[in-house]
């Protein structure tokens, strides 16, 4: 039976038949199907027993119909959450991703994983339509874990990662910490690349061989303490991180004659974070939460380019900071109605200095010093009402007021007010089906780096800065249908339409050059099919297929040609397909994953740059000789996929349609091994 026919059969099956647990499914697996109509589905450890997970992340990746979303790294706290909670709470951090947090939670410490679909009274959905909640056991849990990982590359290089973590949990009291260090490379290391530059006017074609080498270093120390406090609990966490990146690329010309170009990049970044959260019950049905978060960063970036008779150097140093204070009040009025209100204030800044020289002489590409500051306040309210066992309505709004001040080159102060209403309706006609409808006004987050001019010496291009840049706004409508089947299976289809105001894209500036700017109104449409298929019914025990196919279409009026085109960076089609199997006995697992080819384009005043990536494949084998030891080996990039970039560069404006040259670059990447060893020390 083909996969397509399986999906077709599932879609046509009678809802009543799908709601009944299949005969060959254990009660622990069948139980979630019976709970689906309530909006919260609980998966106990027995649901994951066949795969013997090591961490909470292993459990999350096997949830039917769920895909991990780490959230946005935008300003503020309320609008940047991912789709995983721990003990019903969002981690008090913006600098750590959810994947790392879940890796530090051992599966043995998890009491259950809850899947929350479409909202439920008393649950903060963090702006998501689907959430996972990892519930930790309240009994005493003491752990010490050592992680040893390394990449093995074809040229013999090792990329080691060493990590040690320790934690103790005893009810509300927790203490944990970890240290991690790694030295590795990225996909910017390659040998055998090529660049071909052709000229429509008949000039000789230039052919070059490319070789690149890079290295990264990353060191992180973090810790957290949670204790009972008067009326509730308090949690304090901190983190300090150092990151560096160094890359060199050589272009060796061999046609029409010999020549050489060299480029390089360096990046050094120190970041620190401190967070504190206080939770208190101020009534039998009322909860108060206060959050304070402070992030600071200091980044130094440099790039160089040299060729015959020309040497370019670009330097930039940015100091950044974000301070957030937030208060939230939740009240469960009844079993069917809950109310939430919050106030949030934030102060953000970026203090940047740049310098650009050609053959030692300074070149003016923009103000050498720019400081951007933002003072922002937000008030929000929300109600979640379960009208009946099959229907849930969530309605609310956030009101944002902000003031952005810019100094250096241009002294400017602007104020904004953005209402952001949201309505989500969830209908469960059967225990197997769910329909979700969402209408929301979204406001994009400004990247303060766009207010500073910069140079990309590896590509030979520059970005100017538009001091009048504003966030883009969108009215978003979304419809999603999901059907659950076979106890652990799910298939969903989601259609999202956005009407966008003030699209942020590249636009020519009156002062010369182009920069990220507001170019007018646009639209985007996305259609996503996601599925989780347990393979027991297909004759393969212990197997699971997960797939996601996403079609994306967008349209905006090009500010140069005045013609309709895609929004810069939009990828028309994205897909991934994964198969994993846990072998009988529980000691061995294996799996394969593939990502489809992708393509996206960037539209500049005098250039169109198109990036393409070929199909990607990887596979893994995991061995668990004991409950405290896991060894995983992954072979990545089986197909040695190429990454290509095509640049069509025009004489003057693209509107004149006179091509100066076409540059085609191809970078090959070899397969590599990734070995992970995780040992619980007690």
């Amino acid at each position: 039976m083909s996969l397509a026919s399986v999906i077709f059969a599932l879609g046509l099956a009678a809802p009543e038949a799908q709601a009944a647990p299949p005969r060959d499914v254990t009660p622990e697996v069948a139980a979630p199907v019976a709970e689906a109509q309530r909006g919260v589905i609980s998966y106990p450890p027995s649901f994951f027993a066949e795969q013997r997970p090591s961490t909470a992340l292993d459990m999350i990746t096997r949830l039917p119909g769920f895909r991990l979303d780490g959230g946005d790294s935008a300003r503020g706290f309320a609008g940047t959450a991912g789709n995983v909670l721990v003990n019903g709470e969002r981690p008090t951090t913006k600098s750590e991703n959810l994947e790392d947090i879940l890796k530090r939670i051992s599966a043995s410490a998890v009491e259950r994983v809850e899947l929350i679909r479409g909202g439920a009274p008393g649950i903060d959905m963090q702006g998501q339509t689907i959430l996972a909640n990892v519930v930790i056991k309240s009994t005493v849990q003491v752990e010490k874990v050592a992680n040893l990982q390394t990449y093995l590359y074809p040229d013999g290089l090792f990329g080691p990662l060493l990590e040690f973590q320790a934690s103790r949990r005893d009810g509300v009291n927790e203490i944990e910490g970890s240290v991690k260090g790694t030295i590795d490379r990225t996909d910017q290391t390659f040998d055998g690349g090529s660049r071909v530059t052709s000229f429509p006017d008949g000039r000789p074609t230039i052919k070059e061989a490319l070789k690149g080498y890079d290295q990264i270093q990353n060191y992180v120390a973090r810790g957290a303490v949670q204790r009972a406090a008067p009326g509730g609990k308090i949690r304090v966490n901190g983190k300090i991180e150092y990151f560096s990146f160094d890359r060199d690329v050589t272009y060796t010309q061999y046609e029409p004659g010999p020549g050489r170009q060299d480029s390089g990049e360096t990046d050094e970044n120190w970041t620190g974070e401190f967070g504190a959260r206080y939770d208190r019950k101020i009534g039998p049905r009322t909860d108060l939460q206060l959050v304070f978060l402070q992030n600071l960063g200091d980044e130094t970036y440099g790039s160089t380019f040299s060729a015959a008779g020309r040497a370019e150097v670009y330097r930039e140093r940015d100091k950044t900071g974000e301070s957030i204070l937030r208060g939230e009040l939740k009240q469960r009025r009844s079993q069917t109605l809950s109310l939430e209100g919050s106030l949030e204030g934030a102060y953000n800044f970026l203090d940047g200095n740049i310098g650009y020289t050609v053959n030692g002489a300074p070149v003016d590409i923009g103000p050498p010093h720019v400081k951007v500051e933002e003072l922002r306040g937000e008030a929000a309210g929300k109600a979640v009402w379960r009208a009946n066992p099959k229907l849930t309505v969530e309605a609310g709004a956030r009101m944002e007021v902000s003031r952005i001040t810019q100094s250096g080159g241009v002294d400017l102060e602007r104020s904004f007010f953005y209402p952001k209403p949201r309505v989500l309706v969830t209908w469960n006609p059967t225990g197997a089906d769910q329909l979700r409808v969402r209408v929301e006004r979204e406001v994009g987050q400004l990247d303060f780096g766009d207010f500073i001019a910069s140079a990309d010496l590896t590509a030979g291009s520059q970005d100017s800065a538009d001091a009048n840049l504003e966030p883009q706004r969108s009215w978003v409508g979304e419809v999603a249908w999901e059907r659950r089947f076979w106890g652990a299976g799910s298939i969903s289809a989601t259609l999202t339409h956005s009407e966008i105001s003030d699209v942020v894209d590249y636009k020519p500036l009156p002062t010369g050059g182009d920069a990220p700017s507001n170019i007018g109104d646009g639209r985007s449409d996305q259609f996503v099919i996601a599925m989780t298929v347990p393979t027991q019914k297909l004759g393969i025990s212990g197997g699971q297929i997960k797939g996601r196919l996403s079609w994306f279409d967008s349209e905006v009026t090009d500010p140069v040609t005045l013609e309709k085109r895609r929004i810069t960076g939009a990828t028309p089609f994205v897909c991934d397909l994964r198969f994993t199997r846990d072998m009988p006995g529980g000691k061995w697992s294996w799996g394969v994953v593939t990502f489809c080819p992708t393509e996206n384009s960037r539209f500049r005043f005098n250039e169109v740059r198109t990036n393409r990536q070929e199909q990607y494949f990887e596979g893994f084998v995991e061995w668990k000789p004991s409950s405290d030891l896991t060894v995983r080996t992954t072979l990545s990039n089986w197909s040695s996929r190429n990454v290509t970039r095509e640049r069509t560069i025009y004489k003057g404006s693209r509107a004149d349609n006179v091509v100066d040259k076409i540059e085609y670059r191809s970078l090959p990447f070899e397969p590599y091994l990734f070995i992970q060893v995780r040992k619980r020390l007690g």
Side-chain angles (χ1 to χ4, degrees), residues 143-467:
E143 281 193 327
K144 289 174 285 186
V145 177
N147 286 301
L148 170 62
Q149 306 177 12
T150 185
Y151 290 89
L152 281 73
Y153 297 97
D155 60 2
L157 179 74
F158 286 77
L161 182 149
L162 301 174
E163 181 179 23
F164 176 78
Q165 63 188 64
S167 64
R168 187 182 191 277
R169 299 182 178 92
D170 182 4
V172 72
N173 295 320
E174 298 180 10
I175 183 169
E176 59 177 295
S178 67
V179 291
K180 179 173 67 174
T182 183
I183 300 175
D184 197 10
R185 64 170 49 155
T186 74
D187 59 4
Q188 297 300 313
T189 292
F190 52 86
D191 194 0
S194 64
R195 185 170 70 175
V196 177
T197 306
S198 57
F199 303 91
D201 60 7
R203 283 173 286 171
T205 298
I206 299 175
K207 296 183 179 180
E208 299 163 294
L210 275 59
K211 184 175 183 178
Y213 177 83
D214 77 333
Q215 184 182 78
I216 63 170
Q217 296 186 51
N218 188 215
Y219 306 99
V220 184
R222 57 165 299 279
V225 177
Q226 181 173 288
R227 288 289 183 266
K233 63 183 178 181
I234 186 168
R235 183 179 182 87
V236 176
N237 57 273
K239 174 186 172 184
I240 185 168
E241 180 173 5
Y242 170 81
F243 174 84
S244 69
F245 171 75
D246 191 0
R247 177 174 71 141
D248 295 294
V249 182
T250 300
Y251 306 78
T252 303
Q253 181 177 313
Y254 59 89
E255 192 176 311
R260 175 169 171 158
Q261 296 180 357
D262 294 279
S263 68
E265 286 184 287
T266 60
D267 190 16
E268 188 175 49
N269 193 2
W270 283 94
T271 57
E273 181 181 68
F274 172 80
R277 185 183 71 219
Y278 173 62
D279 295 274
R280 174 178 179 147
K281 295 188 74 67
I282 57 176
R285 295 182 177 181
T286 306
D287 299 321
L288 172 68
Q289 184 179 90
L290 301 176
V291 173
F292 173 74
L293 191 63
Q294 176 69 66
N295 277 284
L296 295 172
D298 189 344
E299 180 177 14
T300 301
Y301 172 81
S303 64
T304 61
F305 173 82
S306 63
R310 186 175 180 87
E312 302 178 43
V313 178
Y314 174 76
R315 294 285 183 264
E316 180 176 342
R317 183 175 183 183
D318 296 331
K319 294 183 179 181
T320 58
E322 180 176 40
S323 305
I324 299 172
L325 183 61
R326 175 179 173 81
E328 184 175 70
L329 196 66
K330 300 180 182 180
Q331 187 177 62
R332 294 173 297 281
R333 302 289 295 178
S334 66
Q335 293 295 320
T336 60
L337 177 65
S338 68
L339 304 176
E340 297 178 20
S342 65
L343 291 173
E344 179 174 309
Y347 169 72
N348 309 290
F349 75 87
L350 182 149
D351 195 338
N353 293 273
I354 65 169
Y356 178 45
T357 62
V358 177
N359 294 335
V363 176
D364 182 10
I365 62 171
H369 173 250
V370 173
K371 186 172 185 180
V372 183
E373 299 173 278
E374 179 192 42
L375 190 62
R376 185 179 60 85
E378 182 179 88
K382 183 176 69 173
V384 180
W385 176 44
R386 184 170 290 278
N388 58 58
K390 295 185 178 183
L391 181 66
T392 301
V393 180
E394 175 189 318
R398 291 187 288 161
M399 304 294 178
E400 178 185 319
V401 179
S402 65
R403 184 181 68 201
I404 297 179
T405 304
Q406 182 176 344
S407 59
V410 176
D411 293 331
L412 189 64
E413 181 177 303
R414 297 176 294 156
S415 297
F416 303 99
F417 170 67
Y418 296 122
K420 295 177 283 188
R422 181 176 191 264
V423 176
L424 171 65
V425 179
T426 305
W427 180 46
N428 298 276
T430 70
D433 293 281
Q434 185 178 84
L435 179 69
R436 297 185 291 270
V437 179
R438 175 174 68 100
V439 177
E440 184 172 5
R441 189 182 192 227
E442 298 180 344
V443 178
Q445 305 293 349
L446 289 176
D447 182 353
F448 282 3
D450 290 340
F451 291 96
I452 301 177
S454 62
D456 182 358
L457 301 186
T458 60
S461 62
Q462 298 178 10
D463 280 4
S464 298
D466 183 358

Side-chain angles (χ1 to χ4, degrees), residues 103-122:
K103 283 180 180 177
R104 291 199 297 267
I105 302 173
S106 293
S108 59
V110 177
E111 181 175 295
R112 65 184 183 276
V113 179
E114 297 175 338
L115 189 64
I116 305 161
R117 303 153 63 232

Side-chain angles (χ1 to χ4, degrees), residues 559-627:
V560 177
T561 65
L562 303 181
E563 297 176 350
K564 300 292 186 180
R565 63 160 171 84
R566 290 203 310 257
I567 296 173
T568 283
T571 302
F573 178 70
V574 178
C575 81
D576 62 80
L577 187 64
R578 306 164 188 265
F579 172 74
T580 55
R581 188 184 183 195
D582 305 306
M583 303 302 293
K587 291 189 175 182
W588 292 92
S589 300
W590 63 277
V592 293
V593 59
T594 183
F595 295 90
C596 294
T598 62
E599 175 185 311
N600 63 77
S601 297
R602 176 183 292 185
F603 301 87
R604 305 292 299 269
F605 171 68
N606 66 336
E607 175 189 343
V608 177
R609 189 181 307 181
T610 301
N611 299 295
R612 300 182 180 91
Q613 296 187 6
E614 295 180 344
Q615 190 99 9
Y616 176 87
F617 295 91
E618 75 173 30
F620 76 90
V621 175
E622 189 170 84
W623 177 43
K624 299 176 182 176
S626 61
S627 60

